[in-house]
Amino acid sequence: MSTVPLEVAAFVTQASRLTSAVLDEIRSATALAVASDLYDPSTVPTLSASEFSTLRKQVRDAFAARAEELRSGRPGGLRAAIPCTTLTAQAIWRRDTLTPEQYVSLTEVFVAHGVTLPGRDL
């Protein structure tokens, strides 16, 4: 079983503590960036099956305590928070495979809302 790197786990913890309003803003900003070709989902680095499974579980567990709150807000709030967080976590995990521009593109929606992320350079 894979272990989630500390900087990825720290990001997941921060993301899971954002308010539902901020998570909605991140969801909207991501959709706008995709529509404007500023965010290319195909550049999100892939993880091995065991790494992805471990990450997905950590993200789901982090949001589990807030599931009812996020479900009662904007429709799809919980369903959007999990993949937005997971994709950004993948970018953090494999940031060494991304150009600086790709890394910024894949992470800036969270940074814009005060989430601290490791830099692209390792």
PDB file of all heavy atoms in Angstrom, residues 33 38-39 88 103-113 117:
ATOM      1  N   ALA A  33     -11.879  27.992 -15.939  1.00  0.00           N
ATOM      2  CA  ALA A  33     -10.526  27.804 -16.459  1.00  0.00           C
ATOM      3  C   ALA A  33     -10.479  26.707 -17.522  1.00  0.00           C
ATOM      4  O   ALA A  33      -9.799  26.842 -18.536  1.00  0.00           O
ATOM      5  CB  ALA A  33      -9.558  27.482 -15.321  1.00  0.00           C
ATOM      6  N   LEU A  38      -7.476  27.465 -19.884  1.00  0.00           N
ATOM      7  CA  LEU A  38      -6.419  27.834 -18.945  1.00  0.00           C
ATOM      8  C   LEU A  38      -6.065  26.676 -18.014  1.00  0.00           C
ATOM      9  O   LEU A  38      -5.049  26.719 -17.328  1.00  0.00           O
ATOM     10  CB  LEU A  38      -6.853  29.049 -18.118  1.00  0.00           C
ATOM     11  CG  LEU A  38      -7.121  30.312 -18.926  1.00  0.00           C
ATOM     12  CD1 LEU A  38      -7.705  31.397 -18.024  1.00  0.00           C
ATOM     13  CD2 LEU A  38      -5.851  30.791 -19.608  1.00  0.00           C
ATOM     14  N   TYR A  39      -6.922  25.677 -17.991  1.00  0.00           N
ATOM     15  CA  TYR A  39      -6.725  24.486 -17.162  1.00  0.00           C
ATOM     16  C   TYR A  39      -6.949  23.301 -18.082  1.00  0.00           C
ATOM     17  O   TYR A  39      -8.038  23.135 -18.635  1.00  0.00           O
ATOM     18  CB  TYR A  39      -7.736  24.481 -16.019  1.00  0.00           C
ATOM     19  CG  TYR A  39      -7.645  23.297 -15.070  1.00  0.00           C
ATOM     20  CD1 TYR A  39      -7.127  23.458 -13.791  1.00  0.00           C
ATOM     21  CD2 TYR A  39      -8.096  22.032 -15.425  1.00  0.00           C
ATOM     22  CE1 TYR A  39      -7.070  22.398 -12.900  1.00  0.00           C
ATOM     23  CE2 TYR A  39      -8.035  20.967 -14.538  1.00  0.00           C
ATOM     24  CZ  TYR A  39      -7.520  21.151 -13.280  1.00  0.00           C
ATOM     25  OH  TYR A  39      -7.449  20.101 -12.404  1.00  0.00           O
ATOM     26  N   THR A  88      -5.900  18.145  -7.851  1.00  0.00           N
ATOM     27  CA  THR A  88      -4.849  19.053  -7.385  1.00  0.00           C
ATOM     28  C   THR A  88      -3.810  18.290  -6.568  1.00  0.00           C
ATOM     29  O   THR A  88      -2.608  18.536  -6.701  1.00  0.00           O
ATOM     30  CB  THR A  88      -5.449  20.220  -6.583  1.00  0.00           C
ATOM     31  OG1 THR A  88      -6.397  20.892  -7.420  1.00  0.00           O
ATOM     32  CG2 THR A  88      -4.382  21.198  -6.135  1.00  0.00           C
ATOM     33  N   TYR A 103       1.977  23.403 -13.422  1.00  0.00           N
ATOM     34  CA  TYR A 103       1.757  23.295 -11.979  1.00  0.00           C
ATOM     35  C   TYR A 103       0.887  24.446 -11.482  1.00  0.00           C
ATOM     36  O   TYR A 103      -0.085  24.230 -10.747  1.00  0.00           O
ATOM     37  CB  TYR A 103       3.094  23.252 -11.233  1.00  0.00           C
ATOM     38  CG  TYR A 103       2.960  23.038  -9.746  1.00  0.00           C
ATOM     39  CD1 TYR A 103       2.463  21.843  -9.236  1.00  0.00           C
ATOM     40  CD2 TYR A 103       3.341  24.019  -8.845  1.00  0.00           C
ATOM     41  CE1 TYR A 103       2.336  21.634  -7.867  1.00  0.00           C
ATOM     42  CE2 TYR A 103       3.224  23.819  -7.472  1.00  0.00           C
ATOM     43  CZ  TYR A 103       2.723  22.629  -6.994  1.00  0.00           C
ATOM     44  OH  TYR A 103       2.602  22.431  -5.636  1.00  0.00           O
ATOM     45  N   VAL A 104       1.217  25.651 -11.902  1.00  0.00           N
ATOM     46  CA  VAL A 104       0.421  26.816 -11.499  1.00  0.00           C
ATOM     47  C   VAL A 104      -1.008  26.665 -12.000  1.00  0.00           C
ATOM     48  O   VAL A 104      -1.973  26.888 -11.262  1.00  0.00           O
ATOM     49  CB  VAL A 104       1.062  28.127 -12.005  1.00  0.00           C
ATOM     50  CG1 VAL A 104       0.106  29.304 -11.864  1.00  0.00           C
ATOM     51  CG2 VAL A 104       2.347  28.403 -11.249  1.00  0.00           C
ATOM     52  N   SER A 105      -1.165  26.270 -13.254  1.00  0.00           N
ATOM     53  CA  SER A 105      -2.496  26.113 -13.839  1.00  0.00           C
ATOM     54  C   SER A 105      -3.345  25.120 -13.053  1.00  0.00           C
ATOM     55  O   SER A 105      -4.539  25.344 -12.840  1.00  0.00           O
ATOM     56  CB  SER A 105      -2.366  25.653 -15.290  1.00  0.00           C
ATOM     57  OG  SER A 105      -3.611  25.272 -15.813  1.00  0.00           O
ATOM     58  N   LEU A 106      -2.735  24.031 -12.602  1.00  0.00           N
ATOM     59  CA  LEU A 106      -3.471  22.967 -11.919  1.00  0.00           C
ATOM     60  C   LEU A 106      -3.715  23.239 -10.435  1.00  0.00           C
ATOM     61  O   LEU A 106      -4.527  22.561  -9.811  1.00  0.00           O
ATOM     62  CB  LEU A 106      -2.739  21.628 -12.087  1.00  0.00           C
ATOM     63  CG  LEU A 106      -2.620  21.110 -13.521  1.00  0.00           C
ATOM     64  CD1 LEU A 106      -1.711  19.883 -13.562  1.00  0.00           C
ATOM     65  CD2 LEU A 106      -3.985  20.799 -14.112  1.00  0.00           C
ATOM     66  N   THR A 107      -3.011  24.212  -9.886  1.00  0.00           N
ATOM     67  CA  THR A 107      -3.120  24.447  -8.440  1.00  0.00           C
ATOM     68  C   THR A 107      -3.616  25.837  -8.057  1.00  0.00           C
ATOM     69  O   THR A 107      -4.010  26.056  -6.916  1.00  0.00           O
ATOM     70  CB  THR A 107      -1.752  24.225  -7.751  1.00  0.00           C
ATOM     71  OG1 THR A 107      -0.790  25.138  -8.303  1.00  0.00           O
ATOM     72  CG2 THR A 107      -1.261  22.801  -7.913  1.00  0.00           C
ATOM     73  N   GLU A 108      -3.603  26.772  -8.992  1.00  0.00           N
ATOM     74  CA  GLU A 108      -3.859  28.168  -8.626  1.00  0.00           C
ATOM     75  C   GLU A 108      -5.240  28.429  -8.039  1.00  0.00           C
ATOM     76  O   GLU A 108      -5.397  29.375  -7.262  1.00  0.00           O
ATOM     77  CB  GLU A 108      -3.584  29.095  -9.804  1.00  0.00           C
ATOM     78  CG  GLU A 108      -4.550  28.967 -10.959  1.00  0.00           C
ATOM     79  CD  GLU A 108      -4.137  29.830 -12.136  1.00  0.00           C
ATOM     80  OE1 GLU A 108      -3.354  30.774 -11.950  1.00  0.00           O
ATOM     81  OE2 GLU A 108      -4.607  29.555 -13.246  1.00  0.00           O
ATOM     82  N   VAL A 109      -6.249  27.620  -8.371  1.00  0.00           N
ATOM     83  CA  VAL A 109      -7.577  27.879  -7.804  1.00  0.00           C
ATOM     84  C   VAL A 109      -7.580  27.700  -6.289  1.00  0.00           C
ATOM     85  O   VAL A 109      -8.313  28.385  -5.584  1.00  0.00           O
ATOM     86  CB  VAL A 109      -8.692  27.024  -8.457  1.00  0.00           C
ATOM     87  CG1 VAL A 109      -8.898  27.427  -9.903  1.00  0.00           C
ATOM     88  CG2 VAL A 109      -8.420  25.553  -8.332  1.00  0.00           C
ATOM     89  N   PHE A 110      -6.768  26.793  -5.794  1.00  0.00           N
ATOM     90  CA  PHE A 110      -6.671  26.619  -4.341  1.00  0.00           C
ATOM     91  C   PHE A 110      -5.778  27.696  -3.730  1.00  0.00           C
ATOM     92  O   PHE A 110      -6.101  28.240  -2.666  1.00  0.00           O
ATOM     93  CB  PHE A 110      -6.147  25.219  -3.999  1.00  0.00           C
ATOM     94  CG  PHE A 110      -7.200  24.156  -4.087  1.00  0.00           C
ATOM     95  CD1 PHE A 110      -7.380  23.427  -5.261  1.00  0.00           C
ATOM     96  CD2 PHE A 110      -8.032  23.874  -3.017  1.00  0.00           C
ATOM     97  CE1 PHE A 110      -8.357  22.446  -5.360  1.00  0.00           C
ATOM     98  CE2 PHE A 110      -9.014  22.897  -3.103  1.00  0.00           C
ATOM     99  CZ  PHE A 110      -9.178  22.189  -4.275  1.00  0.00           C
ATOM    100  N   VAL A 111      -4.675  28.028  -4.381  1.00  0.00           N
ATOM    101  CA  VAL A 111      -3.772  29.068  -3.880  1.00  0.00           C
ATOM    102  C   VAL A 111      -4.506  30.399  -3.770  1.00  0.00           C
ATOM    103  O   VAL A 111      -4.333  31.138  -2.804  1.00  0.00           O
ATOM    104  CB  VAL A 111      -2.527  29.185  -4.789  1.00  0.00           C
ATOM    105  CG1 VAL A 111      -1.671  30.389  -4.394  1.00  0.00           C
ATOM    106  CG2 VAL A 111      -1.709  27.899  -4.734  1.00  0.00           C
ATOM    107  N   ALA A 112      -5.359  30.683  -4.743  1.00  0.00           N
ATOM    108  CA  ALA A 112      -6.119  31.935  -4.738  1.00  0.00           C
ATOM    109  C   ALA A 112      -7.042  32.041  -3.529  1.00  0.00           C
ATOM    110  O   ALA A 112      -7.481  33.136  -3.173  1.00  0.00           O
ATOM    111  CB  ALA A 112      -6.940  32.052  -6.024  1.00  0.00           C
ATOM    112  N   HIS A 113      -7.314  30.919  -2.886  1.00  0.00           N
ATOM    113  CA  HIS A 113      -8.185  30.908  -1.706  1.00  0.00           C
ATOM    114  C   HIS A 113      -7.405  30.620  -0.421  1.00  0.00           C
ATOM    115  O   HIS A 113      -7.960  30.155   0.565  1.00  0.00           O
ATOM    116  CB  HIS A 113      -9.322  29.908  -1.905  1.00  0.00           C
ATOM    117  CG  HIS A 113     -10.304  30.396  -2.917  1.00  0.00           C
ATOM    118  ND1 HIS A 113     -10.179  30.137  -4.255  1.00  0.00           N
ATOM    119  CD2 HIS A 113     -11.398  31.180  -2.784  1.00  0.00           C
ATOM    120  CE1 HIS A 113     -11.166  30.717  -4.909  1.00  0.00           C
ATOM    121  NE2 HIS A 113     -11.917  31.365  -4.032  1.00  0.00           N
ATOM    122  N   LEU A 117       0.693  25.675  -0.757  1.00  0.00           N
ATOM    123  CA  LEU A 117       1.172  24.504  -1.490  1.00  0.00           C
ATOM    124  C   LEU A 117       2.684  24.545  -1.612  1.00  0.00           C
ATOM    125  O   LEU A 117       3.275  25.632  -1.610  1.00  0.00           O
ATOM    126  CB  LEU A 117       0.574  24.473  -2.904  1.00  0.00           C
ATOM    127  CG  LEU A 117      -0.930  24.441  -3.014  1.00  0.00           C
ATOM    128  CD1 LEU A 117      -1.347  24.422  -4.477  1.00  0.00           C
ATOM    129  CD2 LEU A 117      -1.503  23.248  -2.305  1.00  0.00           C
TER     130      LEU A 117
END
